[in-house]
PDB file of all heavy atoms in Angstrom:
ATOM      1  N   MET A 886     -83.630 -27.035  86.506  1.00 92.00           N
ATOM      2  CA  MET A 886     -83.027 -25.879  87.196  1.00 92.00           C
ATOM      3  C   MET A 886     -84.017 -24.621  86.745  1.00 92.00           C
ATOM      4  O   MET A 886     -84.469 -24.457  85.822  1.00 92.00           O
ATOM      5  CB  MET A 886     -81.749 -25.518  86.522  1.00 92.00           C
ATOM      6  CG  MET A 886     -80.657 -26.554  86.911  1.00 92.00           C
ATOM      7  SD  MET A 886     -79.158 -26.328  86.022  1.00 92.00           S
ATOM      8  CE  MET A 886     -78.510 -24.883  86.840  1.00 92.00           C
ATOM      9  N   GLU A 887     -84.030 -23.656  87.758  1.00 97.00           N
ATOM     10  CA  GLU A 887     -84.754 -22.459  87.540  1.00 97.00           C
ATOM     11  C   GLU A 887     -84.102 -21.352  88.258  1.00 97.00           C
ATOM     12  O   GLU A 887     -83.332 -21.398  89.169  1.00 97.00           O
ATOM     13  CB  GLU A 887     -86.201 -22.622  87.923  1.00 97.00           C
ATOM     14  CG  GLU A 887     -86.405 -22.770  89.469  1.00 97.00           C
ATOM     15  CD  GLU A 887     -87.937 -22.893  89.763  1.00 97.00           C
ATOM     16  OE1 GLU A 887     -88.787 -23.177  88.931  1.00 97.00           O
ATOM     17  OE2 GLU A 887     -88.150 -22.585  90.889  1.00 97.00           O
ATOM     18  N   LEU A 888     -84.442 -20.108  87.649  1.00 98.00           N
ATOM     19  CA  LEU A 888     -83.988 -18.924  88.404  1.00 98.00           C
ATOM     20  C   LEU A 888     -85.209 -18.045  88.664  1.00 98.00           C
ATOM     21  O   LEU A 888     -86.056 -17.827  87.667  1.00 98.00           O
ATOM     22  CB  LEU A 888     -83.044 -18.148  87.461  1.00 98.00           C
ATOM     23  CG  LEU A 888     -82.352 -16.809  87.937  1.00 98.00           C
ATOM     24  CD1 LEU A 888     -81.401 -17.333  89.257  1.00 98.00           C
ATOM     25  CD2 LEU A 888     -81.556 -16.199  86.940  1.00 98.00           C
ATOM     26  N   LYS A 889     -85.386 -17.636  89.828  1.00 97.00           N
ATOM     27  CA  LYS A 889     -86.566 -16.857  90.240  1.00 97.00           C
ATOM     28  C   LYS A 889     -86.202 -15.389  90.259  1.00 97.00           C
ATOM     29  O   LYS A 889     -85.152 -14.910  90.799  1.00 97.00           O
ATOM     30  CB  LYS A 889     -87.093 -17.197  91.581  1.00 97.00           C
ATOM     31  CG  LYS A 889     -87.579 -18.561  91.841  1.00 97.00           C
ATOM     32  CD  LYS A 889     -88.101 -18.831  93.266  1.00 97.00           C
ATOM     33  CE  LYS A 889     -88.991 -19.935  93.330  1.00 97.00           C
ATOM     34  NZ  LYS A 889     -88.432 -21.203  93.191  1.00 97.00           N
ATOM     35  N   ASN A 919     -80.565 -19.210  93.827  1.00 94.00           N
ATOM     36  CA  ASN A 919     -81.416 -19.105  92.591  1.00 94.00           C
ATOM     37  C   ASN A 919     -82.472 -18.137  92.623  1.00 94.00           C
ATOM     38  O   ASN A 919     -83.485 -18.227  91.889  1.00 94.00           O
ATOM     39  CB  ASN A 919     -81.934 -20.484  92.252  1.00 94.00           C
ATOM     40  CG  ASN A 919     -80.891 -21.432  91.797  1.00 94.00           C
ATOM     41  OD1 ASN A 919     -79.856 -21.120  91.524  1.00 94.00           O
ATOM     42  ND2 ASN A 919     -81.239 -22.737  91.813  1.00 94.00           N
ATOM     43  N   THR A 985     -76.342 -18.530  85.865  1.00 98.00           N
ATOM     44  CA  THR A 985     -77.293 -18.752  84.837  1.00 98.00           C
ATOM     45  C   THR A 985     -76.949 -17.598  83.689  1.00 98.00           C
ATOM     46  O   THR A 985     -76.862 -16.435  84.023  1.00 98.00           O
ATOM     47  CB  THR A 985     -78.697 -18.611  85.219  1.00 98.00           C
ATOM     48  OG1 THR A 985     -79.011 -19.628  86.192  1.00 98.00           O
ATOM     49  CG2 THR A 985     -79.737 -18.519  84.100  1.00 98.00           C
ATOM     50  N   VAL A1011     -82.180 -23.177  81.580  1.00 98.00           N
ATOM     51  CA  VAL A1011     -82.646 -22.811  83.000  1.00 98.00           C
ATOM     52  C   VAL A1011     -83.978 -22.142  82.871  1.00 98.00           C
ATOM     53  O   VAL A1011     -84.160 -21.106  82.145  1.00 98.00           O
ATOM     54  CB  VAL A1011     -81.807 -21.842  83.637  1.00 98.00           C
ATOM     55  CG1 VAL A1011     -82.176 -21.396  84.992  1.00 98.00           C
ATOM     56  CG2 VAL A1011     -80.258 -22.544  83.787  1.00 98.00           C
ATOM     57  N   ARG A1012     -85.087 -22.540  83.550  1.00 98.00           N
ATOM     58  CA  ARG A1012     -86.377 -21.967  83.519  1.00 98.00           C
ATOM     59  C   ARG A1012     -86.366 -20.648  84.279  1.00 98.00           C
ATOM     60  O   ARG A1012     -85.886 -20.548  85.413  1.00 98.00           O
ATOM     61  CB  ARG A1012     -87.419 -22.922  84.114  1.00 98.00           C
ATOM     62  CG  ARG A1012     -88.836 -22.594  83.627  1.00 98.00           C
ATOM     63  CD  ARG A1012     -89.783 -23.741  84.103  1.00 98.00           C
ATOM     64  NE  ARG A1012     -89.978 -23.646  85.545  1.00 98.00           N
ATOM     65  CZ  ARG A1012     -90.890 -22.915  86.040  1.00 98.00           C
ATOM     66  NH1 ARG A1012     -91.682 -22.162  85.364  1.00 98.00           N
ATOM     67  NH2 ARG A1012     -91.051 -22.909  87.436  1.00 98.00           N
ATOM     68  N   LEU A1013     -86.858 -19.595  83.685  1.00 97.00           N
ATOM     69  CA  LEU A1013     -86.836 -18.242  84.382  1.00 97.00           C
ATOM     70  C   LEU A1013     -88.217 -18.024  84.928  1.00 97.00           C
ATOM     71  O   LEU A1013     -89.264 -18.038  84.145  1.00 97.00           O
ATOM     72  CB  LEU A1013     -86.583 -17.129  83.366  1.00 97.00           C
ATOM     73  CG  LEU A1013     -85.221 -17.336  82.641  1.00 97.00           C
ATOM     74  CD1 LEU A1013     -84.981 -16.113  81.545  1.00 97.00           C
ATOM     75  CD2 LEU A1013     -84.038 -17.229  83.641  1.00 97.00           C
ATOM     76  N   GLU A1014     -88.379 -17.944  86.138  1.00 96.00           N
ATOM     77  CA  GLU A1014     -89.798 -17.743  86.855  1.00 96.00           C
ATOM     78  C   GLU A1014     -89.862 -16.344  87.315  1.00 96.00           C
ATOM     79  O   GLU A1014     -89.078 -15.914  88.182  1.00 96.00           O
ATOM     80  CB  GLU A1014     -89.814 -18.789  87.956  1.00 96.00           C
ATOM     81  CG  GLU A1014     -91.392 -18.732  88.466  1.00 96.00           C
ATOM     82  CD  GLU A1014     -91.527 -19.656  89.719  1.00 96.00           C
ATOM     83  OE1 GLU A1014     -90.607 -20.511  89.983  1.00 96.00           O
ATOM     84  OE2 GLU A1014     -92.558 -19.436  90.348  1.00 96.00           O
TER      85      GLU A1014
END
Side-chain angles (χ1 to χ4, degrees):
M886 293 174 75
E887 66 175 21
L888 185 67
K889 293 181 161 73
N919 290 345
T985 297
V1011 175
R1012 204 169 71 85
L1013 302 177
E1014 188 186 340

